[in-house]
Amino acid sequence: MHIGRMLIMTLILGLFGQFYANAEQPLKLEAKEGFYQFPFFDTQTAVWSYNDQIPGPLIRGRVGTTLVIDFANRLKEPSSIHWHGLRIENAMDGVPGVTQDPVGPGENFTYRLKLEDAGTFWYHPHFNSSEQLERGLKGVFIVEEAEKQPWSQDWVWLMDDWLFQKDGTIYPHFNTGRDLMHDGRWGNAPTINGNFRPEYQAKPGERIRLRIINGANARVFSPHIEGLSANIIAVDGRPVTKIFVLDRFVLSPGNRIDLDIRIPEQSGGKIFIVEDRFTRKAFELASIKVDQSEPIKSPKFIPPTEANFIPAQMFEKVKGEKTWDLNAIRGGKFGIGWTMNQKLWPDADKVDYPLGLPRKIIFKNNSSRLHPMHIHGVFFRVLERNGQKAVEQFTRDTVLVGPRESVTIGFVPEHTGIWLTHCHIQEHAEAGMMTTIEVKN
Ligand code: C2O
Ligand code: CU
C-alpha cells in the first residue's frame, strides 16, 4: 500500500464524523447507497452507509437527555434502526413487524430516545440484517456520563469484518449454505472504523478509555494488547461489578467492552500491538504508538463499578426457568433454518413475563456452532454454564453460547413491550433464530 494513501486514510479517519446531539437539534441519519475507499483496493467499493460514512456517524448524547433522530431510508428496500443495548421505550426499538412497520424506500421515521444508561452502545438496521449490516450500515452510540470523565483520550473502535472479492467488491451472495452451515459469514478483511491496522498515538503516562464494539456479522474477536496493562471497566455498556484484567475476553458480535489503558511513564518511543487471538491464527488489529514527549502525570482515579446491579443472589429463589433449545433444521427461506425450540421466526416459541419479577432463561445449544444470544432492552447476568455456577463480574446484553454449551442467565424485566431475542450472528437470525419476550404490566 502507498504511504501517501495511508496518510490520506489517517486524515479521513481523524475527521470521521461525530454528532453531539440533544432533543432540540434532531440528527439526521440517511441510509443510502454510496462508495467507500478501503485501503485494500485501488478502486472504491460500493457500500450502503449512513450519511455516506463508514462506519456511520458516531453519536454522543448525555445520560438523562432525549435524542431525536430522523431516519431517512434512501435504500431500495425497507429498513429500520435498532439501538443495540439501549433501554428505551419499546416503540423506539426499531424492529419491523414487532415494534414498528418497516420504513419503506423513500420513507422517514423519527426515533425519540430517552437515554437511561451511560455507556457504549451501537446502532444498526433490523431488516434484511445479514445484508444491510454487511454492506456497511452500522455506527457507535455513546451515552456520556453526567460528569466529565478523567481519561485523557476516549478511543472508539468499531470492529468489522468484510468479505471482499478480488476486484474490491463486497461478495454479493448472502445467507449462503456455507454461511448457514457454519458460524455465519466470516470475512477476509477485518477493519477498525473502516481502516486497516490503524496506528493510534499516545503519550507516556496517559490513561486512555478504549471502547471496543464488535459490529461484525459473525466474526468473534478476542483482543489482546501485548505489553500493556488494560482493565475491563464496562461490558455491553454497563460498568462492571468488579474491575478485571483484559485476558482472552471473548467479544462476540454485539458485545462491547470499555478498557482503562495505562501507558507506562517509561514507554516513550514504544509501539504496542493489539492483536486478535480468538482463532488459532493471531493477527494484528491496530497499534498504539507512544511518542517521545515528557511523561505526563498519570491521573489517579478508580473508574465506577456497579456492585449492586442485578446481583446473582437475586435469582437464587427463582423457581423454574425458560429453556430455549438452539439447533438447525432443514427448511426455511434458505434451505437451512436455525431454530429456538424447533421453531423458525416468525413462527416462534415466545414467552410472556410480568414486569418486575426476576426470571431465568437457559440457552441450550444442541448444535456445534456458535450462538451469541442477545436480548433487546435488558441487561442480564450469566448464572451458570453447563449447570455449573459461573457468576461473571458484569452484566451483559449478549452472551456467546458455545457448541453444545448451555448458559443460564437471570434478569428482571423492567420495561413493558415486546423485546426481540435472537442470535447475533446475522445469518443465523435471518434464518430463523429469533423470538420475543413480551413484558406486561
Ligand atoms: Cu444488535 Cu436485535 O440486535
Ligand atoms: Cu447463531
Side-chain angles (χ1 to χ4, degrees), residues 82-85 93 95 122-126 129 133 253-254 256 374-376 397-398 420-424 426 429 434:
H82 168 60
W83 316 94
H84 183 123
D93 199 43
V95 184
W122 63 300
Y123 61 96
H124 60 74
H126 229 297
S129 308
L133 272 85
R256 290 88 66 208
H374 170 49
I375 309 180
H376 285 205
D397 61 41
T398 306
L420 203 70
T421 301
H422 62 92
C423 178
H424 219 287
Q426 298 301 333
M434 298 202 279

Side-chain angles (χ1 to χ4, degrees), residues 17-30:
Q18 287 200 21
F19 276 165
Y20 278 88
N22 54 55
E24 288 77 56
Q25 286 173 297
L27 306 176
K28 187 155 191 183
L29 283 181
E30 197 175 49

Side-chain angles (χ1 to χ4, degrees), residues 338 369-373 423-425 428-429 433:
W338 279 101
R369 308 308 335 176
L370 303 172
H371 303 295
M373 299 307 294
C423 178
H424 219 287
I425 288 183
H428 290 181
M433 201 169 236

Side-chain angles (χ1 to χ4, degrees), residues 153 201-208 263-264 267 289-291 293-296:
Q153 299 197 61
Q201 310 290 330
K203 292 193 184 348
E206 268 197 279
R207 259 176 96 170
I208 297 165
I263 308 292
S267 63
K289 184 169 184 201
V290 187
D291 66 26
S293 58
E294 274 299 292
I296 63 166

Side-chain angles (χ1 to χ4, degrees), residues 134-135 162-165 168-174 176 179 185:
E134 181 70 14
R135 290 195 183 276
W162 307 78
L163 184 59
F164 291 123
Q165 307 189 98
T169 56
I170 293 173
Y171 182 71
H173 306 291
F174 296 88
T176 63
D179 295 346
R185 175 176 168 126

Side-chain angles (χ1 to χ4, degrees), residues 395-436:
T395 59
R396 305 166 158 276
D397 61 41
T398 306
V399 63
L400 184 64
V401 186
R404 312 278 159 197
E405 188 181 33
S406 112
V407 176
T408 309
I409 60 153
F411 75 100
V412 186
E414 284 182 308
H415 294 77
T416 55
I418 307 178
W419 301 102
L420 203 70
T421 301
H422 62 92
C423 178
H424 219 287
I425 288 183
Q426 298 301 333
E427 294 71 27
H428 290 181
E430 285 295 311
M433 201 169 236
M434 298 202 279
T435 186
T436 55

